[in-house]
Amino acid sequence: RADCYLFAVCHTLTQTSSHQVLICRNYKGDVDMSEIDHFFTLLMQQEEEGLLCPVMSHGNVHFLWIKHSNLYLVATTNKNSNASLVYSFLYKLVEVFTEYFKELEEESIQDNFVVVYELLDELMDFGFPQTTDSKILQEYITQQGNKLEVAKTKVPTTVTNAVSWRSEGIRYKKNEVFIDVIESINVLVNANGSVMSSDIVGSIKLKTMLSGMPELRLGLNDRMLFALTGRDKGKTVTMEDVKFHQCVRLSRFESDRTISFIPPDGESELMSYRINTHVKPLIWIESVIEKFSHSRVEIMVKAKGQFKKQSVANNVEIRVPVPSDADSPKFKTSTGHAKYVPEKNLVVWSIKSFPGGKELLMRAHFCLPSVENHETEGRPPITVKFEIPYFTVSGIQVRYMKIIEKSGYQALPWVRYITQSGDYQLRTNT
């Protein structure tokens, strides 16, 4: 239950640093429309103090808000509401509006007032979230005004159906399911080379091209499943903070760890998870900084691929911070190319293809007129971006995907594994 009584989209007027309400919807009438003015006052006070809080209160009215570009999306309530649900709803609004208007900004709201109000009425009813799937909404809320009236007369069965995320009567000549297992590696390494923190955040994404109303069952090498069934062979993983798409039957998963569902059509995220484990940095970075006679600095960066030799990291970017007054850059790389980004005080070393087990080298030379001042600047960490296909750090595996449909057609499941960098930082000595 969200208990979201009043919703408003507000716009920042940059020239005057003031604000105005672009659109507002009062769902229950328990919160006065004028209360939004107090939000602006509280927001400006907190901005001046530099202490912005995601929840602000005036009397018994609470403002829960997010910022997107120069827009504020604000929900108000006078009850002790479920804040997590309200924020989920606000972020879902951004997702739906972006699906409809490509960019969510002041102009897209002003140009589509009718559609925005239609969406607000369908997304929430009397303070309770309703249909939030943009694909379903697009079946009967269109951006063409003349179609809007016609569409209203026939509401899709998905809105009243138990399977609200999938339409009936879907047909494909070739029935296929594409499964992407994507893991992001978060690593923080200190200046001494010790891993301070690390974890894996994963998601399983589907692209479903199946006819009818199929039932799918997904099997993973889940440690708890293997323990329940008495099997303990091969590598298993322990997933934490598991979050499923609404299509997954949670009661079935809780009882026997079976992931059973009727999938949405097209692309969707089936589930996300976290694995709290020690992760060895897949790309190890060493850097040496040499300063010469208060006039120049040389940076040497060595990168080593600490993953299997048969794997290759693609589109690698190593971002090395440099002093803010550096100029006249010169680079030498064993592979790839380096460029200076002065507005961010960075050297970006780009490597299209980085094989496992390889060591690569980059040298940078800068003139530095005020090298003595650099001592007090401090150095931000080196950050690394990469993507390694056909590989997962955790060892998670799709053991099977069963597709059952009453017509009995044969369908092909395709599985792809990808490991990529998340928040990947390596601190360095100055």
Side-chain angles (χ1 to χ4, degrees):
R1 175 168 176 163
D3 280 327
C4 179
Y5 297 149
L6 179 71
F7 167 76
V9 177
C10 311
H11 168 53
T12 305
L13 299 173
T14 51
Q15 289 89 348
T16 60
S17 296
S18 62
H19 307 80
Q20 70 179 24
V21 177
L22 288 176
I23 201 162
C24 192
R25 181 70 176 87
N26 200 332
Y27 286 106
K28 299 187 77 171
D30 290 8
V31 176
D32 193 273
M33 301 281 269
S34 62
E35 286 288 344
I36 196 66
D37 295 333
H38 299 301
F39 168 75
F40 297 142
T41 307
L42 291 167
L43 183 69
M44 285 189 283
Q45 285 176 356
Q46 291 198 0
E47 281 179 340
E48 287 173 8
E49 295 167 4
L51 298 168
L52 280 175
C53 180
V55 180
M56 297 186 283
S57 301
H58 177 262
N60 68 336
V61 176
H62 310 291
F63 303 99
L64 296 87
W65 62 279
I66 62 173
K67 187 176 183 183
H68 182 83
S69 301
N70 63 341
L71 297 177
Y72 292 90
L73 286 81
V74 187
T76 66
T77 178
N78 56 12
K79 293 286 195 324
N80 184 17
S81 301
N82 183 335
S84 297
L85 185 55
V86 175
Y87 280 112
S88 294
F89 177 74
L90 291 177
Y91 282 109
K92 195 69 183 177
L93 274 175
V94 172
E95 185 182 316
V96 170
F97 288 161
T98 305
E99 283 277 333
Y100 265 81
F101 313 131
K102 300 291 186 249
E103 296 289 337
L104 177 54
E105 53 192 20
E106 180 194 4
E107 289 76 15
S108 56
I109 296 292
Q110 290 177 335
D111 293 346
N112 297 279
F113 271 130
V114 175
V115 177
V116 171
Y117 272 118
E118 288 281 343
L119 288 170
L120 290 177
D121 283 342
E122 293 298 332
L123 286 158
M124 181 169 283
D125 184 31
F126 202 63
F128 298 93
Q130 300 296 315
T131 306
T132 59
D133 191 313
S134 59
K135 289 178 184 174
I136 303 303
L137 289 166
Q138 283 169 356
E139 289 186 28
Y140 63 104
I141 296 180
T142 66
Q143 285 170 275
Q144 291 81 14
N146 61 329
K147 288 187 180 179
L148 199 61
E149 296 303 320
V150 176
K152 275 187 181 176
T153 60
K154 186 182 178 184
V155 177
T157 54
T158 47
V159 177
T160 52
N161 192 358
V163 186
S164 61
W165 53 87
R166 185 178 178 89
S167 302
E168 292 181 354
I170 295 170
R171 290 287 176 267
Y172 285 99
K173 287 184 178 179
K174 189 176 183 182
N175 292 286
E176 295 177 302
V177 183
F178 297 89
I179 307 163
D180 280 349
V181 181
I182 302 169
E183 291 191 338
S184 297
I185 311 300
N186 300 322
V187 174
L188 176 62
V189 179
N190 69 11
N192 298 324
S194 302
V195 177
M196 302 288 288
S197 64
S198 64
D199 67 356
I200 300 166
V201 177
S203 68
I204 296 180
K205 297 185 177 181
L206 301 180
K207 184 176 181 182
T208 309
M209 301 165 70
L210 297 173
S211 304
M213 201 66 75
E215 170 90 19
L216 273 60
R217 290 176 196 161
L218 177 68
L220 304 172
N221 56 335
D222 175 10
R223 187 166 295 168
M224 288 184 69
L225 171 64
F226 278 40
L228 279 171
T229 55
R231 290 175 295 171
D232 199 17
K233 295 178 181 177
K235 185 171 182 179
T236 57
V237 296
T238 302
M239 297 181 292
E240 301 175 37
D241 300 339
V242 179
K243 185 173 77 171
F244 288 110
H245 187 280
Q246 61 177 327
C247 67
V248 175
R249 295 184 175 88
L250 293 180
S251 56
R252 180 84 186 266
F253 180 77
E254 287 165 1
S255 64
D256 62 10
R257 304 291 284 189
T258 298
I259 302 171
S260 174
F261 59 98
I262 296 172
D265 187 45
E267 296 182 3
S268 61
E269 182 175 274
L270 178 68
M271 63 180 285
S272 62
Y273 59 89
R274 185 176 61 85
I275 298 175
N276 193 10
T277 183
H278 178 82
V279 180
K280 181 182 178 182
L282 297 179
I283 295 181
W284 183 257
I285 304 293
E286 293 178 16
S287 67
V288 177
I289 301 169
E290 291 184 89
K291 300 163 190 171
F292 299 92
S293 64
H294 295 258
S295 62
R296 62 190 176 95
V297 63
E298 286 190 2
I299 302 171
M300 188 274 288
V301 177
K302 182 165 71 175
K304 183 178 181 182
Q306 298 193 134
F307 48 92
K308 295 176 181 177
K309 289 183 179 180
Q310 59 265 40
S311 295
V312 175
N314 297 326
N315 304 316
V316 179
E317 273 192 6
I318 300 169
R319 296 172 171 245
V320 184
V322 297
S324 56
D325 54 354
D327 60 21
S328 306
K330 294 178 183 176
F331 303 110
K332 189 176 181 181
T333 61
S334 59
T335 303
H337 67 277
K339 68 174 181 179
Y340 178 41
V341 186
E343 62 272 19
K344 295 183 179 178
N345 300 321
L346 287 174
V347 170
V348 179
W349 180 15
S350 301
I351 304 162
K352 193 172 182 180
S353 181
F354 193 155
K358 289 276 186 178
E359 276 192 14
L360 305 178
L361 202 65
M362 186 271 290
R363 292 184 183 274
H365 174 281
F366 288 92
C367 292
L368 201 60
S370 55
V371 72
E372 64 273 12
N373 296 331
H374 174 51
E375 303 295 335
T376 58
E377 272 190 22
R379 277 173 57 80
I382 292 174
T383 58
V384 185
K385 288 175 67 178
F386 59 84
E387 187 176 280
I388 307 174
Y390 319 115
F391 173 78
T392 57
V393 178
S394 67
I396 194 169
Q397 290 178 343
V398 174
R399 294 174 48 245
Y400 63 83
M401 168 68 87
K402 293 181 181 176
I403 302 164
I404 305 157
E405 213 277 333
K406 61 183 179 182
S407 66
Y409 63 68
Q410 295 296 309
L412 294 171
W414 304 90
V415 185
R416 179 173 63 170
Y417 299 95
I418 300 171
T419 293
Q420 61 190 19
S421 55
D423 186 9
Y424 196 105
Q425 300 185 8
L426 301 99
R427 292 175 181 164
T428 58
N429 291 308
T430 54

